Amino acid sequence: MRTGTVVDRPSHLGKIRNIQALRALAAILVVFYHLTSVDLKYGNGTAVLPAWFGYGACGVDLFFVISGFVMVTVTAGKPRSLESVRRFLIQRATRIYPLYWFYSLIVLAIFLTKPSMVSAWQGTEVNVVRSFLLLPDSAMPLLNVGWSLIFEGYFYLVFSALLLLKSDRHQRVGLVIWAVIVSLGLAATNWTNVESGPVVKVMTHYLTYEFIAGCCIGELIQANRTRYAGIAVGLGVGMFAVLCLMHDPALQTQFESTWRRVVVFGIPAALVVYGVVSLEVSRGVFISSWMEFIGDASYSIYLSHVLVLSLLGRIWWATQWNGPVQSRLSLALMVVVVIACGLLSYVLVERPLLALTRRQRVNKT
């Protein structure tokens, strides 16, 4: 990290550079997670990556915490009205859907020409309409990373309802009520042992707590409560380091879809987000400019990386360059190429799409 001048907290926080750096970290962690599958599928049959690379799945949890924080930050001080909610939802939709549709169309083209390549990811039938609309479904979306965007859409809808409450204090109460409702839903599901439908599963999923935690962090930062920034970062990083050192593949499988994931991934993510944002806001401490730049392209990296890794994996398998040293070099190069493709996607596709949708919003108003 590098330190700038100490800054006073503005009444409305603008772009927070450390959040962009954390987005970069989250995207790279998810790339590491999927790189383990490439290692097993296209290597020489023996994994060369450390087992803890599988914990890169925590990048999604970090994204969820960041998302909650950002939602509170970007809406702070805004009028509470139906018009504000409408604008909020349009902004979220135009931010999420255009680039997602771009990559989903690529996958759809693959699906129509060679369905087995896509159904192998999902393990079941693919619902094209639900995939494109990001609606909850028993099957994975065409673009498999879209599953997390289904949760994001749910988070945005509930948060938009909280924006109708008449004050920030009422919004904080609403967050608590939301958490209680999720807990009651989870308890009812566990006690009755009734198989929930896709919609109910999303609405009562443990991952909701991570978004709510991010919202709470946003409230703390808005109140200028940044006193324990360094301790929070140390605890968050320390917890994750201990997890990697005590890696147990069986444990990893157990907590993927349970409360254990929130404890093992969500809590460290929340601590790190609170800590690094507090360090920037209160002391002017920044992580790095290049991580910030990668963070700007994190959505492009996230949406494109599975496609890029799949192509690179096939090239790697065809070359048979898979000795122990060659495999490590190949996998490292894949990470570089994935990030480079994500940056190109950001410059050539994502930014033009954002500019286009922004112009459309302005013209309509």
Side-chain angles (χ1 to χ4, degrees):
M1 290 188 178
R2 57 192 184 85
T3 307
T5 56
V6 177
V7 293
D8 294 328
R9 184 181 69 90
S11 58
H12 176 67
L13 295 172
K15 179 178 178 180
I16 298 178
R17 297 171 61 183
N18 280 352
I19 280 293
Q20 295 305 99
L22 286 180
R23 280 180 167 142
L25 175 62
I28 292 170
L29 284 170
V30 175
V31 171
F32 284 172
Y33 171 69
H34 287 122
L35 197 66
T36 59
S37 297
V38 174
D39 184 15
L40 288 172
K41 186 174 182 179
Y42 299 109
N44 60 10
T46 302
V48 298
L49 292 176
W52 55 262
F53 264 54
Y55 286 124
C58 73
V60 173
D61 304 80
L62 183 54
F63 272 131
F64 284 162
V65 176
I66 290 171
S67 182
F69 168 79
V70 170
M71 292 307 98
V72 168
T73 302
V74 300
T75 58
K78 297 290 180 65
R80 294 179 174 273
S81 64
L82 286 173
E83 177 60 21
S84 296
V85 170
R86 185 187 72 85
R87 288 178 177 271
F88 170 80
L89 289 175
I90 290 175
Q91 288 171 352
R92 291 298 92 203
T94 54
R95 179 70 184 93
I96 293 295
Y97 277 114
L99 189 65
Y100 171 73
W101 284 337
F102 175 82
Y103 283 107
S104 291
L105 285 170
I106 294 175
V107 180
L108 179 60
I110 299 171
F111 177 65
L112 293 175
T113 54
K114 196 169 183 180
S116 61
M117 290 182 63
V118 176
S119 60
W121 302 343
Q122 282 78 4
T124 184
E125 292 284 332
V126 177
N127 189 310
V128 176
V129 174
R130 286 182 174 272
S131 291
F132 273 80
L133 295 179
L134 289 173
L135 298 177
D137 191 27
S138 56
M140 290 284 281
L142 274 167
L143 185 63
N144 61 355
V145 294
W147 73 266
S148 64
L149 300 181
I150 294 173
F151 281 91
E152 288 284 357
Y154 161 61
F155 299 155
Y156 296 156
L157 286 174
V158 177
F159 188 80
S160 68
L162 297 180
L163 292 177
L164 291 173
L165 301 177
K166 63 181 181 180
S167 69
D168 291 345
R169 182 173 65 85
H170 288 87
Q171 179 174 295
R172 289 191 287 271
V173 174
L175 287 171
V176 174
I177 293 173
W178 185 12
V180 171
I181 291 173
V182 171
S183 300
L184 292 174
L186 283 167
T189 301
N190 292 333
W191 288 338
T192 59
N193 289 321
V194 175
E195 182 66 23
S196 302
V199 174
V200 174
K201 283 183 178 179
V202 170
M203 293 176 64
T204 60
H205 202 283
Y206 296 97
L207 292 173
T208 306
Y209 295 128
E210 296 176 348
F211 181 84
I212 295 174
C215 292
C216 293
I217 293 168
E219 297 285 356
L220 289 173
I221 299 299
Q222 289 293 326
N224 203 23
R225 296 182 179 178
T226 59
R227 182 176 178 182
Y228 301 105
I231 294 174
V233 173
L235 281 175
V237 173
M239 286 178 66
F240 187 72
V242 169
L243 170 67
C244 293
L245 291 172
M246 298 177 63
H247 173 78
D248 182 351
L251 175 63
Q252 182 177 334
T253 302
Q254 290 173 11
F255 67 60
E256 280 183 352
S257 300
T258 68
W259 60 267
R260 293 179 180 87
R261 176 166 186 158
V262 177
V263 174
V264 176
F265 287 168
I267 292 178
L271 288 169
V272 170
V273 171
Y274 167 75
V276 299
V277 172
S278 297
L279 287 173
E280 177 177 346
V281 171
S282 63
R283 306 178 196 175
V285 177
F286 306 112
I287 296 177
S288 77
S289 297
W290 67 268
M291 283 287 284
E292 183 184 351
F293 179 58
I294 294 176
D296 290 341
S298 59
Y299 190 45
S300 278
I301 294 171
Y302 184 69
L303 292 182
S304 66
H305 79 275
V306 172
L307 291 170
V308 177
L309 283 178
S310 180
L311 174 61
L312 295 176
R314 285 172 167 79
I315 294 173
W316 181 34
W317 178 79
T319 62
Q320 294 295 305
W321 203 56
N322 53 15
V325 176
Q326 296 93 326
S327 292
R328 289 180 174 85
L329 288 173
S330 297
L331 292 166
L333 181 60
M334 287 183 198
V335 175
V336 174
V337 174
V338 163
I339 294 174
C341 289
L343 291 171
L344 285 173
S345 170
Y346 174 64
V347 173
L348 301 178
V349 183
E350 183 177 353
R351 285 203 306 198
L353 284 174
L354 288 173
L356 177 63
T357 55
R358 191 177 297 116
R359 285 197 299 271
Q360 292 295 323
R361 293 202 306 266
V362 171
N363 291 338
K364 287 182 180 180
T365 56

